[in-house]
Amino acid sequence: MVTPSTAIGTASPATAATTLPAGTPGDRIQLMQTFVRIVEAGSLSAAAAQLGATQPTVSRRLQALERSLGTRLLSRSTHAMKLTEDGERCFARAKELIAAWDSFESDLRGAGAEPEGTLRVIAPHAFGQNLLVGPLAEYLRRYPRISVDWLLHDRAPDFIADAVDCAIHVGEVNDPQLVAIKLAEVPRIVVAAPSALGDGPPPAHARELAALPWLALRSFYRTDITLTHVQSGERHTVPITPRLSTDSLYATCNATLMGLGVSVVSAWAVADDLAAGRLVHLTPQWRASPLPMHLVYPYARHYPAKLRRFVEAMRESVPGAVSAGLSTGG
């Protein structure tokens, strides 16, 4: 597996092989495209499969690039490949140059040229399986020459190791190396199954929630949760000792449905359960702060059309998807 460490902007997939005179700018672009694909794919054979070429062809292109630059880019052994120090620098610059070339071609073809290629995106599991599928489908319908690798992870993306173009991130973005486009805010509410409340009256004030059993969605709260009164703006921090702590929204919702405790979750995820009476919206005048949803990607001088169009499509459709997710309940 190739293990680059230098973060850099996105690159579009290599184009189909073309026989060009050795040493021309177009030939060097093709060699760099192949090198980038080797690094992102993790091996010569995987890169060859993605490029529709043979492994010997990919190997010859790599060797030609190394000869033209006068340096070794990859350190190869029987079981693994690793970027050399020069390879790290070349990988970063090659991606910038390919993106610039794509932008140049796009300008020549005109702004109306249809984007193409494969876009690799990371999204959180619950959102990527449900709420964001509609916006994704709309993007694919709009641009039939684009395909998407839709990868679901709840951890922060590593744009180099994951070889992705962009990511959907729920929560604050603190990395100054990333462009963060805010798409929407996701409301969060306090919910529980009726069986978790016992025989007494439901809590009326946020302070009364501390006496109930709790579940923690540890990505956003662990030992306490601050709630704000919708009308007065009063804030109250509820201390909790969770019976279950997890980083999965779906696991939190399912455990809540089973009566294991109270939780604070995204309102869209429990709308149907609230409407059916399987869950109860507790202290409805008290809400946790909504979670911002961002589309993030590394800074670069140029961005391929497939990414620019994806940003446009998500900004258009995600707010409506969030609203629609809330319309059936809670």
Side-chain angles (χ1 to χ4, degrees):
M1 176 63 69
V2 182
T3 56
S5 61
T6 305
I8 194 62
T10 61
S12 59
T15 56
T18 304
T19 302
L20 297 171
T24 66
D27 185 49
R28 287 193 290 270
I29 287 288
Q30 184 190 89
L31 297 181
M32 286 189 291
Q33 287 172 327
T34 301
F35 170 60
V36 167
R37 184 53 57 196
I38 292 169
V39 175
E40 293 180 339
S43 69
L44 294 175
S45 58
Q50 293 179 15
L51 293 170
T54 65
Q55 183 171 331
T57 297
V58 170
S59 179
R60 284 195 298 270
R61 291 181 192 170
L62 173 61
Q63 292 168 10
L65 181 61
E66 290 179 328
R67 285 196 304 271
S68 70
L69 297 175
T71 186
R72 177 68 66 87
L73 301 176
L74 289 172
S75 175
R76 282 157 282 188
S77 66
T78 305
H79 303 292
M81 298 170 57
K82 184 177 181 181
L83 282 170
T84 65
E85 185 176 345
D86 286 338
E88 292 273 2
R89 291 196 295 269
C90 181
F91 179 69
R93 293 302 305 275
K95 295 190 79 174
E96 288 186 340
L97 289 169
I98 292 168
W101 181 262
D102 288 343
S103 178
F104 170 69
E105 286 188 326
S106 178
D107 289 342
L108 288 182
R109 292 175 184 149
E114 184 176 356
E116 58 184 321
T118 299
L119 185 76
R120 289 173 57 84
V121 185
I122 285 180
H125 270 98
F127 289 82
Q129 291 179 53
N130 193 318
L131 191 69
L132 297 174
V133 174
L136 172 64
E138 176 59 29
Y139 171 72
L140 288 170
R141 283 193 289 263
R142 189 180 302 179
Y143 302 110
R145 296 175 64 182
I146 287 180
S147 59
V148 173
D149 286 347
W150 189 244
L151 310 174
L152 302 184
H153 301 307
D154 289 326
R155 57 176 171 77
D158 183 329
F159 288 92
I160 295 297
D162 296 324
V164 295
D165 296 286
C166 62
I168 305 293
H169 177 78
V170 177
E172 298 296 336
V173 179
N174 300 313
D175 188 342
Q177 302 300 316
L178 297 179
V179 178
I181 307 295
K182 190 172 183 179
L183 301 177
E185 288 194 334
V186 182
R188 293 189 295 164
I189 59 176
V190 185
V191 296
S195 61
L197 302 178
D199 298 327
H205 191 282
R207 71 172 70 92
E208 299 173 34
L209 294 169
L212 296 173
W214 270 83
L215 310 173
L217 183 53
R218 59 185 297 113
S219 304
F220 304 108
Y221 66 96
R222 301 188 182 194
T223 59
D224 59 67
I225 182 72
T226 299
L227 304 176
T228 302
H229 194 273
V230 174
Q231 295 178 334
S232 69
E234 178 187 355
R235 291 167 60 86
H236 182 81
T237 298
V238 182
I240 65 173
T241 303
R243 301 188 62 201
L244 172 67
S245 180
T246 176
D247 61 356
S248 167
L249 174 59
Y250 278 153
T252 302
C253 292
N254 287 335
T256 306
L257 281 166
M258 294 175 184
L260 293 181
V262 179
S263 64
V264 171
V265 295
S266 301
W268 68 266
V270 293
D272 290 341
D273 295 312
L274 289 168
R278 293 185 291 269
L279 292 177
V280 178
H281 184 179
L282 302 181
T283 58
Q285 292 301 309
W286 293 85
R287 306 284 179 96
S289 299
L291 293 175
M293 180 187 295
H294 294 91
L295 177 62
V296 298
Y297 49 91
Y299 279 100
R301 290 189 180 94
H302 304 281
Y303 301 104
K306 62 183 180 181
L307 177 57
R308 298 197 305 270
R309 299 296 179 262
F310 186 72
V311 172
E312 294 169 2
M314 293 300 103
R315 295 182 74 172
E316 290 175 11
S317 56
V318 167
V322 172
S323 299
L326 301 174
S327 64
T328 56

